[in-house]
Amino acid sequence: MTGSTVGTNGAGSGARPARRHGRTRLARLLLAALMASAAPALVGAGSPAMAQQTKGAMSERAERIIRTLKPAARSRYSDAAYANRIIEMEIPLPDRGVKKVILNYNHSVDLAVYYNFDSFDITPETAEVLDDLGYALEASELEGGQYLVAGHTDSTGKEGYNQWLSESRALSAKRYLVKNFRIDPDRLIVVGFGETRLADRKRPRDGINRRVEITLIEDGYSGPTSERFEAPRPTYRKGAAPSAEDLGLAAYDAGPGPAAVDCEGTEGIADPRPADTGLDDFGNRPTPVPCGDIRRSQPEPVAVEAPEPDPDPAPKADATTPVARPPASPADNQNSAIAN
């Protein structure tokens, strides 16, 4: 009995390794087949579609951006604390004039898009942050909304140069977003604040001030605003100036005024108003007037019939009596203080 048991045990001991070896071989064959079938997918992981699918997973930062920038219900606008963060800003247009926008700072994010010193190039760290912003702006919650993209610098360097650099940083961020995401360029209006709105006024030269701000632009808002200011106009230029299309202001660019259209083909027109008396805008450039109010510098002669002789001529004036003559122009009769 014991022998059979041992024999049985011995036979069993010899069979188990054989079965285990068979199972191991089968597992290896299945693994090889699985890897072979997955190889094309692994090779295609670098394709744009696969990369987009991999990146498409919404990050926590992108979700926070959506929650912050999503417009609130209209009932919130009656809240005094909420309305206190709605301001009006005038943006200088590239050619002339300004565009007024309403900024709702209840829905604004300050992105730590840290640019290198004295640079507006998109770094890998910058691209990572802008990717999250791009996915947020593509989301249905923000679809169709218009936003201000504002660049900021620290206080190192001259003010005019910093103003240009801040606009360049905001513009580079917009170009990145439009190139890499399905975002209408007209949804993003670009401005530069330079060093006028530091994130940390106690550390004006710190890198935390080099950032990009995204703020909701209210469309059709007619309620009260707590502040009104004008965005700085860049005075320093390095390279070609951005166009109205680049800045998202093409729809608001004034372009040629109506006087230029009305006056086509009227070359040689001169403004008859005196330019040295201070009568017009206190010495400023004369205000444009309609073509009908302007005479040509060399008017064509007009035939005038000779007047008939007066049958009862008036007596000649005495040579000792001074004759009052009207002034040659209205300017000759003005107070001399105007020319001071």
Side-chain angles (χ1 to χ4, degrees):
M1 179 70 86
T2 304
S4 78
T5 304
V6 172
T8 305
N9 291 341
S13 298
R16 286 175 183 170
R19 294 195 192 98
R20 187 179 299 116
H21 178 72
R23 288 195 298 268
T24 303
R25 185 179 180 183
L26 179 60
R28 288 176 179 174
L29 291 174
L30 291 174
L31 180 60
L34 180 62
M35 293 181 65
S37 63
L42 293 175
V43 172
S47 64
M50 181 62 69
Q52 183 74 12
Q53 183 179 357
T54 304
K55 292 176 62 178
M58 192 71 71
S59 69
E60 182 181 351
R61 177 167 51 196
E63 292 177 350
R64 288 201 306 268
I65 293 174
I66 293 175
R67 289 195 299 268
T68 303
L69 296 183
K70 182 180 178 181
R74 286 294 171 182
S75 58
R76 291 289 307 277
Y77 292 76
S78 60
D79 183 5
Y82 185 89
N84 194 49
R85 292 178 58 80
I86 301 177
I87 69 174
E88 179 181 325
M89 180 179 68
E90 294 182 350
I91 305 175
L93 297 174
D95 292 335
R96 58 189 177 87
V98 295
K99 164 61 182 173
K100 294 182 180 180
V101 297
I102 303 298
L103 301 177
N104 191 338
Y105 274 97
N106 295 287
H107 307 285
S108 179
V109 290
D110 240 359
L111 296 179
V113 182
Y114 294 140
Y115 294 90
N116 291 330
F117 178 75
D118 197 28
S119 172
F120 55 86
D121 294 333
I122 301 296
T123 64
E125 295 79 9
T126 300
E128 188 176 331
V129 177
L130 292 178
D131 283 343
D132 286 334
L133 175 60
Y135 287 122
L137 292 175
E138 281 185 335
S140 58
E141 294 90 338
L142 306 184
E143 186 178 6
Q146 194 173 34
Y147 294 89
L148 183 78
V149 182
H152 298 264
T153 67
D154 57 31
S155 63
T156 305
K158 295 185 178 180
E159 183 178 352
Y161 176 80
N162 286 338
Q163 174 58 38
W164 167 83
L165 183 60
S166 67
E167 181 181 84
S168 300
R169 286 175 172 170
L171 188 56
S172 69
K174 173 182 175 176
R175 286 171 174 166
Y176 180 90
L177 293 169
V178 171
K179 178 182 178 181
N180 294 280
F181 297 90
R182 299 183 300 274
I183 299 175
D184 186 346
D186 293 338
R187 291 180 59 196
L188 306 177
I189 293 182
V190 171
V191 299
F193 284 136
E195 57 185 82
T196 61
R197 290 177 170 260
L198 298 173
D200 189 345
R201 295 189 177 277
K202 294 182 179 179
R203 296 182 295 167
R205 297 175 181 267
D206 194 85
I208 194 174
N209 298 296
R210 302 194 294 268
R211 69 200 193 278
V212 170
E213 165 197 319
I214 312 297
T215 305
L216 174 65
I217 296 177
E218 291 285 358
D219 186 21
Y221 177 80
S222 58
T225 57
S226 62
E227 182 185 353
R228 179 184 298 174
F229 73 99
E230 182 175 344
R233 181 187 293 273
T235 56
Y236 174 90
R237 282 296 173 205
K238 188 176 181 180
S243 65
E245 289 78 8
D246 287 333
L247 301 176
L249 296 169
Y252 315 108
D253 195 8
V261 175
D262 295 341
C263 298
E264 288 181 356
T266 56
E267 295 79 5
I269 288 181
D271 191 340
R273 295 169 293 181
D276 57 351
T277 61
L279 287 179
D280 185 78
D281 297 338
F282 299 97
N284 292 330
R285 185 174 57 188
T287 304
V289 297
C291 294
D293 295 343
I294 303 177
R295 62 175 173 81
R296 293 186 177 275
S297 56
Q298 296 180 351
E300 298 179 359
V302 180
V304 180
E305 297 181 359
E308 297 180 359
D310 191 349
D312 188 15
K316 295 183 178 180
D318 190 351
T320 60
T321 304
V323 178
R325 295 183 175 84
S329 71
D332 296 339
N333 200 28
Q334 298 299 316
N335 191 310
S336 60
I338 296 180
N340 293 342

